[in-house]
Amino acid sequence: MKVIIIGSGVAGLASAIRMAVRGYTVEVYESNAYPGGKLTEIRLGDYRFDAGPSLFTMPEYFEELFALAGRSFQDYCPYERLETITKYFYEDGTFIEAFREPKDFAVELQEKLGIPQETTLQHLANSAKIYDLTQDVFLNQSLHRLMNNSPVKLLKASSRLPQIDLFRTMHQANQKAFKNEKAVQLFNRYATYNGSNPYQAPATLNIIPHLEFNIGAYFPINGMHNLTESLVQLGKELGVVYHFNSRVDEILVEQNTAVGIAVNGQKIKSDKVISAADIMLTYKRLLRHQKAPERILNQPKSTSAIIFYWGINKEFPELDLHNILFSNDYQAEFEAMTNKQTMHHDPTVYINISSKRNASDAPVNKENWFILINAPNDSGQNWDKLIQETRKNTIRKINAVLQTNIEPLITEEDILDPRLIEKRTGSYAGALYGNASNNKMAAFWRHANYSNRIKNLYFGGGSVHPGGGIPLCMLSAKIIDELIHIN
């Protein structure tokens, strides 16, 4: 039995391993010259940068995957738990260090913001409760299969909706919990982990802090790109064949059954097809002769990003691996981005410096700064102008918070914007997470991991169930594996 996988992002690579473990002949087709999708790397002079995702959580999904093949993930990709998850900076001089232990973090918020320790600990406990209530129904299985095949289970799950805080916004829940604008802003930030707006998204997204504080935030010692390298290496050992520079033109369908792909003028037959490409790309180009689920495809898309890769000719000891320099008006920033589809003049600046943990990523006494500014997805904006303005505003923010003059220290630079994100990764409109999660029904409006019209066709990756980000992409591969095994 042969499986063809389209796309070599995390979901595609993980699916390839799972199918190979089950004994399938597996071939992966990738339009780029390299694997990884967003999880790749770039090099500028003597600096190395992880190009996309920079936070590693839920390593157990990788451990489980490698164990299926009789391997130890740590042998391929050693990683360590972070003692400090993120450093938060406010322009008035307030500085908060998010320690790995909830008790230590609670002490920090009490000392810096006057928030009682029990308030923070209760909030993190509530985050864990939401996770426990949602993981089995909304994350670890095909939600759509449950809806179709087990209405009793779905009804039981629906009875939990008030408990998972689906009917308030994330901001409303955080504001009630903390009553301190800096703490509210800190916890509102977690909405950006799946490209959403905390002033619109349901408070269910308060599940995310649980992943960092209660489960843990980690760093692959050789960089995030080592995750991709380890998946590819294991796939090769299991016999997976990778075809790079191979842009798939069409998924072949005969008698409502996927029978292969067309690529480079050839028709390649297979028993099953897994598209780990963006769901919009899959339907609009690869399944252009098939009926598309327009209602799902037309759902609002997530945010994108403007990313600056800077080689910095200095070390900043006050910074760590993950750093946030907050906007003075968070709500106005999201209003500009989500409702006006433009950039705010006072952006929140995320700075990732992997050389803090992997010294080889930058020359001695220098640092590699990956700077991400949340941005609207591409709807035809004048991006050249917005990039120029955002660069100026980002430098102003950094200078104000760090009391420095950063521009003379930039010796290398590259820029990624929503247009290039779409071009390089196939993510429609540069949306990093597919559909946005800005309403309480968003989880139900993600595409299923299988086609209910075309047999032997499956879908993985961040634009389908259960969502975007490395852990959920890994879960999509697991769900596909279980769907194929069940069928």
Side-chain angles (χ1 to χ4, degrees):
M1 297 281 285
K2 180 177 179 179
V3 176
I4 284 178
I5 297 172
I6 303 168
S8 66
V10 169
L13 296 175
S15 289
I17 290 169
R18 287 182 174 276
M19 293 299 99
V21 167
R22 287 201 180 274
Y24 290 91
T25 297
V26 183
E27 296 190 25
V28 178
Y29 287 82
E30 168 60 53
S31 60
N32 288 315
Y34 54 85
K38 301 179 185 73
L39 192 60
T40 184
E41 66 178 4
I42 68 170
R43 295 180 182 271
L44 299 174
D46 295 326
Y47 298 87
R48 190 203 73 86
F49 302 83
D50 289 309
S54 57
L55 179 67
F56 185 36
T57 59
M58 308 297 283
E60 56 266 36
Y61 293 151
F62 284 84
E63 298 280 6
E64 176 193 46
L65 179 65
F66 278 69
L68 290 176
R71 313 296 207 277
S72 168
F73 175 56
Q74 285 271 16
D75 291 340
Y76 291 74
C77 183
Y79 63 92
E80 59 186 4
R81 188 170 181 179
L82 300 176
E83 293 299 322
T84 294
I85 301 171
T86 305
K87 288 187 173 182
Y88 295 95
F89 299 84
Y90 302 79
E91 206 163 317
D92 67 358
T94 302
F95 161 68
I96 295 172
E97 191 164 359
F99 299 105
R100 62 177 271 184
E101 296 298 335
K103 289 184 179 180
D104 295 334
F105 181 50
V107 170
E108 177 80 350
L109 291 188
Q110 178 173 278
E111 292 179 350
K112 299 292 180 64
L113 302 179
I115 297 169
Q117 293 180 41
E118 56 268 24
T119 298
T120 301
L121 294 175
Q122 179 57 46
H123 193 70
L124 294 178
N126 183 63
S127 179
K129 179 182 178 182
I130 295 173
Y131 178 79
D132 290 339
L133 289 170
T134 58
Q135 64 169 326
D136 287 338
V137 174
F138 295 98
L139 298 178
N140 293 339
Q141 65 177 305
S142 171
L143 176 62
H144 304 81
R145 185 179 179 88
L146 181 66
M147 292 167 63
N148 292 335
N149 296 348
S150 185
V152 174
K153 285 186 178 180
L154 187 63
L155 183 62
K156 183 178 179 181
S158 299
S159 68
R160 301 174 180 172
L161 294 181
Q163 296 176 274
I164 65 174
D165 217 350
L166 190 65
F167 301 106
R168 292 189 295 178
T169 68
M170 192 179 197
H171 175 71
Q172 288 169 339
N174 290 335
Q175 194 170 46
K176 184 175 181 180
F178 291 101
K179 301 178 178 63
N180 177 290
E181 288 308 309
K182 287 185 171 66
V184 172
Q185 188 174 25
L186 190 157
F187 281 96
N188 278 355
R189 172 187 167 253
Y190 286 102
T192 66
Y193 280 38
N194 71 353
S196 300
N197 181 337
Y199 303 93
Q200 298 176 0
T204 308
L205 290 188
N206 279 326
I207 188 178
I208 300 173
H210 169 69
L211 307 183
E212 287 192 8
F213 290 99
N214 299 324
I215 297 179
Y218 300 83
F219 178 72
I221 292 172
N222 296 314
M224 293 293 289
H225 185 243
N226 195 208
L227 297 174
T228 294
E229 294 174 322
S230 66
L231 292 172
V232 171
Q233 179 60 36
L234 177 56
K236 288 180 178 178
E237 293 173 10
L238 296 174
V240 175
V241 177
Y242 301 93
H243 302 271
F244 298 107
N245 294 309
S246 298
R247 181 178 182 267
V248 175
D249 298 313
E250 186 179 0
I251 295 172
L252 301 176
V253 178
E254 297 177 2
Q255 298 180 344
N256 297 321
T257 301
V259 296
I261 61 171
V263 58
N264 296 329
Q266 291 184 301
K267 292 184 177 181
I268 313 295
K269 291 301 184 84
S270 69
D271 297 283
K272 300 182 187 299
V273 176
I274 299 172
S275 176
D278 185 272
I279 196 66
M280 287 285 287
L281 168 70
T282 299
Y283 275 102
K284 298 302 183 184
R285 185 162 64 81
L286 305 182
L287 292 169
R288 57 189 178 275
H289 301 303
Q290 305 298 320
K291 181 177 176 59
E294 297 295 344
R295 192 173 181 185
I296 291 177
L297 299 184
N298 290 333
Q299 292 297 304
K301 299 297 177 275
S302 78
T303 55
S304 185
I306 294 175
I307 302 174
F308 301 100
Y309 305 94
W310 288 350
I312 300 294
N313 191 26
K314 183 183 175 180
E315 288 185 300
F316 285 78
E318 63 267 43
L319 298 179
D320 206 333
L321 176 65
H322 302 293
N323 310 274
I324 292 289
L325 284 54
F326 272 125
S327 166
N328 290 317
D329 191 339
Y330 215 33
Q331 189 163 3
E333 183 179 9
F334 280 95
E335 172 73 19
M337 183 167 47
T338 305
N339 299 333
K340 299 179 182 178
Q341 291 291 295
T342 191
M343 303 295 294
H344 189 51
H345 64 83
D346 180 31
T348 294
V349 177
Y350 167 70
I351 305 175
N352 172 256
I353 310 173
S354 64
S355 60
K356 294 287 188 180
R357 293 290 183 275
N358 184 11
S360 65
D361 284 351
V364 177
N365 299 324
K366 301 180 181 182
E367 294 179 343
N368 63 332
W369 284 21
F370 165 105
I371 300 174
L372 183 147
I373 314 297
N374 291 310
N377 55 61
D378 181 23
S379 59
Q381 298 93 325
N382 184 343
W383 285 108
D384 293 334
K385 180 181 179 183
L386 288 176
I387 290 168
Q388 183 180 17
E389 293 173 351
T390 300
R391 187 181 188 277
K392 178 184 69 176
N393 293 330
T394 298
I395 288 174
R396 187 210 63 77
K397 173 66 72 175
I398 292 171
N399 290 346
V401 172
L402 300 182
Q403 295 297 295
T404 189
N405 183 12
I406 197 67
E407 189 155 23
L409 301 176
I410 303 171
T411 59
E412 300 282 354
E413 181 175 34
D414 199 2
I415 302 171
L416 189 65
D417 66 72
R419 299 167 302 181
L420 285 175
I421 290 171
E422 178 172 22
K423 181 179 179 181
R424 293 177 184 177
T425 70
S427 300
Y428 179 77
L432 294 175
Y433 306 95
N435 291 350
S437 297
N438 289 333
N439 67 74
K440 56 181 173 289
M441 298 303 295
F444 298 93
W445 286 110
R446 282 191 172 271
H447 197 288
N449 300 107
Y450 64 97
S451 173
N452 60 6
R453 297 175 182 270
I454 303 171
K455 187 180 179 181
N456 294 338
L457 177 60
Y458 302 86
F459 306 98
S463 64
V464 299
H465 179 74
I470 294 172
L472 298 189
C473 287
M474 292 289 287
L475 279 178
S476 76
K478 182 178 181 179
I479 292 169
I480 291 170
D481 182 17
E482 291 171 350
L483 287 170
I484 291 176
H485 182 60
I486 290 171
N487 292 338

